[in-house]
PDB file of all heavy atoms in Angstrom:
ATOM      1  N   LEU A 281      21.345 -28.793  -4.840  1.00 98.00           N
ATOM      2  CA  LEU A 281      21.854 -27.636  -4.103  1.00 98.00           C
ATOM      3  C   LEU A 281      20.753 -26.654  -3.733  1.00 98.00           C
ATOM      4  O   LEU A 281      21.036 -25.497  -3.404  1.00 98.00           O
ATOM      5  CB  LEU A 281      22.942 -26.933  -4.922  1.00 98.00           C
ATOM      6  CG  LEU A 281      24.197 -27.773  -5.176  1.00 98.00           C
ATOM      7  CD1 LEU A 281      25.190 -27.009  -6.033  1.00 98.00           C
ATOM      8  CD2 LEU A 281      24.846 -28.205  -3.870  1.00 98.00           C
ATOM      9  N   ASN A 282      19.503 -27.102  -3.777  1.00 97.00           N
ATOM     10  CA  ASN A 282      18.394 -26.215  -3.435  1.00 97.00           C
ATOM     11  C   ASN A 282      18.526 -25.674  -2.019  1.00 97.00           C
ATOM     12  O   ASN A 282      18.945 -26.376  -1.095  1.00 97.00           O
ATOM     13  CB  ASN A 282      17.059 -26.953  -3.580  1.00 97.00           C
ATOM     14  CG  ASN A 282      16.627 -27.059  -5.029  1.00 97.00           C
ATOM     15  OD1 ASN A 282      17.324 -26.595  -5.932  1.00 97.00           O
ATOM     16  ND2 ASN A 282      15.479 -27.667  -5.258  1.00 97.00           N
ATOM     17  N   GLY A 283      18.178 -24.405  -1.878  1.00 95.00           N
ATOM     18  CA  GLY A 283      18.254 -23.754  -0.580  1.00 95.00           C
ATOM     19  C   GLY A 283      19.620 -23.195  -0.252  1.00 95.00           C
ATOM     20  O   GLY A 283      19.818 -22.639   0.833  1.00 95.00           O
ATOM     21  N   THR A 284      20.564 -23.322  -1.177  1.00 97.00           N
ATOM     22  CA  THR A 284      21.917 -22.800  -0.964  1.00 97.00           C
ATOM     23  C   THR A 284      22.242 -21.728  -1.996  1.00 97.00           C
ATOM     24  O   THR A 284      21.486 -21.502  -2.943  1.00 97.00           O
ATOM     25  CB  THR A 284      22.980 -23.914  -1.072  1.00 97.00           C
ATOM     26  OG1 THR A 284      23.200 -24.219  -2.467  1.00 97.00           O
ATOM     27  CG2 THR A 284      22.542 -25.177  -0.358  1.00 97.00           C
ATOM     28  N   ASN A 285      23.384 -21.095  -1.814  1.00 97.00           N
ATOM     29  CA  ASN A 285      23.896 -20.155  -2.808  1.00 97.00           C
ATOM     30  C   ASN A 285      25.102 -20.758  -3.518  1.00 97.00           C
ATOM     31  O   ASN A 285      25.980 -20.064  -3.997  1.00 97.00           O
ATOM     32  CB  ASN A 285      24.300 -18.833  -2.148  1.00 97.00           C
ATOM     33  CG  ASN A 285      24.609 -17.748  -3.162  1.00 97.00           C
ATOM     34  OD1 ASN A 285      23.863 -17.560  -4.120  1.00 97.00           O
ATOM     35  ND2 ASN A 285      25.706 -17.035  -2.976  1.00 97.00           N
ATOM     36  N   ASP A 286      25.134 -22.088  -3.604  1.00 98.00           N
ATOM     37  CA  ASP A 286      26.290 -22.781  -4.157  1.00 98.00           C
ATOM     38  C   ASP A 286      26.099 -23.149  -5.626  1.00 98.00           C
ATOM     39  O   ASP A 286      24.971 -23.287  -6.106  1.00 98.00           O
ATOM     40  CB  ASP A 286      26.583 -24.047  -3.351  1.00 98.00           C
ATOM     41  CG  ASP A 286      26.992 -23.732  -1.918  1.00 98.00           C
ATOM     42  OD1 ASP A 286      27.461 -22.604  -1.676  1.00 98.00           O
ATOM     43  OD2 ASP A 286      26.816 -24.598  -1.041  1.00 98.00           O
ATOM     44  N   LEU A 287      27.215 -23.322  -6.292  1.00 98.00           N
ATOM     45  CA  LEU A 287      27.260 -23.677  -7.704  1.00 98.00           C
ATOM     46  C   LEU A 287      28.275 -24.801  -7.858  1.00 98.00           C
ATOM     47  O   LEU A 287      29.427 -24.665  -7.428  1.00 98.00           O
ATOM     48  CB  LEU A 287      27.686 -22.452  -8.522  1.00 98.00           C
ATOM     49  CG  LEU A 287      27.952 -22.597 -10.018  1.00 98.00           C
ATOM     50  CD1 LEU A 287      26.691 -22.996 -10.762  1.00 98.00           C
ATOM     51  CD2 LEU A 287      28.478 -21.272 -10.569  1.00 98.00           C
ATOM     52  N   ARG A 288      27.866 -25.917  -8.432  1.00 98.00           N
ATOM     53  CA  ARG A 288      28.746 -27.073  -8.589  1.00 98.00           C
ATOM     54  C   ARG A 288      29.014 -27.302 -10.071  1.00 98.00           C
ATOM     55  O   ARG A 288      28.088 -27.526 -10.854  1.00 98.00           O
ATOM     56  CB  ARG A 288      28.109 -28.314  -7.969  1.00 98.00           C
ATOM     57  CG  ARG A 288      29.016 -29.555  -8.018  1.00 98.00           C
ATOM     58  CD  ARG A 288      28.271 -30.766  -7.452  1.00 98.00           C
ATOM     59  NE  ARG A 288      27.904 -30.560  -6.060  1.00 98.00           N
ATOM     60  CZ  ARG A 288      26.923 -31.213  -5.442  1.00 98.00           C
ATOM     61  NH1 ARG A 288      26.203 -32.100  -6.111  1.00 98.00           N
ATOM     62  NH2 ARG A 288      26.666 -30.977  -4.173  1.00 98.00           N
ATOM     63  N   LEU A 289      30.281 -27.243 -10.447  1.00 98.00           N
ATOM     64  CA  LEU A 289      30.696 -27.416 -11.834  1.00 98.00           C
ATOM     65  C   LEU A 289      31.426 -28.745 -11.989  1.00 98.00           C
ATOM     66  O   LEU A 289      32.107 -29.198 -11.066  1.00 98.00           O
ATOM     67  CB  LEU A 289      31.626 -26.277 -12.267  1.00 98.00           C
ATOM     68  CG  LEU A 289      31.148 -24.846 -11.987  1.00 98.00           C
ATOM     69  CD1 LEU A 289      32.196 -23.853 -12.450  1.00 98.00           C
ATOM     70  CD2 LEU A 289      29.807 -24.571 -12.663  1.00 98.00           C
ATOM     71  N   ALA A 290      31.307 -29.345 -13.175  1.00 98.00           N
ATOM     72  CA  ALA A 290      32.015 -30.604 -13.427  1.00 98.00           C
ATOM     73  C   ALA A 290      32.353 -30.719 -14.906  1.00 98.00           C
ATOM     74  O   ALA A 290      31.706 -30.100 -15.763  1.00 98.00           O
ATOM     75  CB  ALA A 290      31.176 -31.805 -12.976  1.00 98.00           C
ATOM     76  N   VAL A 291      33.373 -31.528 -15.177  1.00 98.00           N
ATOM     77  CA  VAL A 291      33.805 -31.814 -16.542  1.00 98.00           C
ATOM     78  C   VAL A 291      33.773 -33.326 -16.730  1.00 98.00           C
ATOM     79  O   VAL A 291      34.414 -34.066 -15.978  1.00 98.00           O
ATOM     80  CB  VAL A 291      35.230 -31.284 -16.804  1.00 98.00           C
ATOM     81  CG1 VAL A 291      35.673 -31.614 -18.229  1.00 98.00           C
ATOM     82  CG2 VAL A 291      35.297 -29.775 -16.553  1.00 98.00           C
ATOM     83  N   TYR A 292      33.039 -33.768 -17.731  1.00 98.00           N
ATOM     84  CA  TYR A 292      32.957 -35.195 -18.057  1.00 98.00           C
ATOM     85  C   TYR A 292      33.533 -35.385 -19.457  1.00 98.00           C
ATOM     86  O   TYR A 292      33.178 -34.639 -20.374  1.00 98.00           O
ATOM     87  CB  TYR A 292      31.506 -35.681 -18.015  1.00 98.00           C
ATOM     88  CG  TYR A 292      30.843 -35.460 -16.670  1.00 98.00           C
ATOM     89  CD1 TYR A 292      30.152 -34.286 -16.406  1.00 98.00           C
ATOM     90  CD2 TYR A 292      30.938 -36.419 -15.665  1.00 98.00           C
ATOM     91  CE1 TYR A 292      29.558 -34.068 -15.167  1.00 98.00           C
ATOM     92  CE2 TYR A 292      30.344 -36.213 -14.425  1.00 98.00           C
ATOM     93  CZ  TYR A 292      29.658 -35.033 -14.181  1.00 98.00           C
ATOM     94  OH  TYR A 292      29.085 -34.822 -12.958  1.00 98.00           O
ATOM     95  N   GLY A 293      34.415 -36.363 -19.619  1.00 97.00           N
ATOM     96  CA  GLY A 293      35.056 -36.536 -20.920  1.00 97.00           C
ATOM     97  C   GLY A 293      35.021 -37.968 -21.409  1.00 97.00           C
ATOM     98  O   GLY A 293      34.984 -38.918 -20.620  1.00 97.00           O
ATOM     99  N   ASN A 294      35.027 -38.117 -22.726  1.00 97.00           N
ATOM    100  CA  ASN A 294      35.172 -39.422 -23.367  1.00 97.00           C
ATOM    101  C   ASN A 294      36.278 -39.283 -24.400  1.00 97.00           C
ATOM    102  O   ASN A 294      36.050 -38.762 -25.510  1.00 97.00           O
ATOM    103  CB  ASN A 294      33.859 -39.862 -24.017  1.00 97.00           C
ATOM    104  CG  ASN A 294      33.926 -41.291 -24.538  1.00 97.00           C
ATOM    105  OD1 ASN A 294      34.831 -41.644 -25.290  1.00 97.00           O
ATOM    106  ND2 ASN A 294      32.951 -42.107 -24.152  1.00 97.00           N
ATOM    107  N   ALA A 295      37.489 -39.693 -24.023  1.00 96.00           N
ATOM    108  CA  ALA A 295      38.649 -39.525 -24.902  1.00 96.00           C
ATOM    109  C   ALA A 295      38.498 -40.325 -26.187  1.00 96.00           C
ATOM    110  O   ALA A 295      38.943 -39.888 -27.260  1.00 96.00           O
ATOM    111  CB  ALA A 295      39.920 -39.943 -24.153  1.00 96.00           C
TER     112      ALA A 295
END
Side-chain angles (χ1 to χ4, degrees):
L281 296 178
N282 282 1
T284 77
N285 190 45
D286 295 337
L287 174 64
R288 184 183 298 158
L289 310 179
V291 179
Y292 302 91
N294 187 307

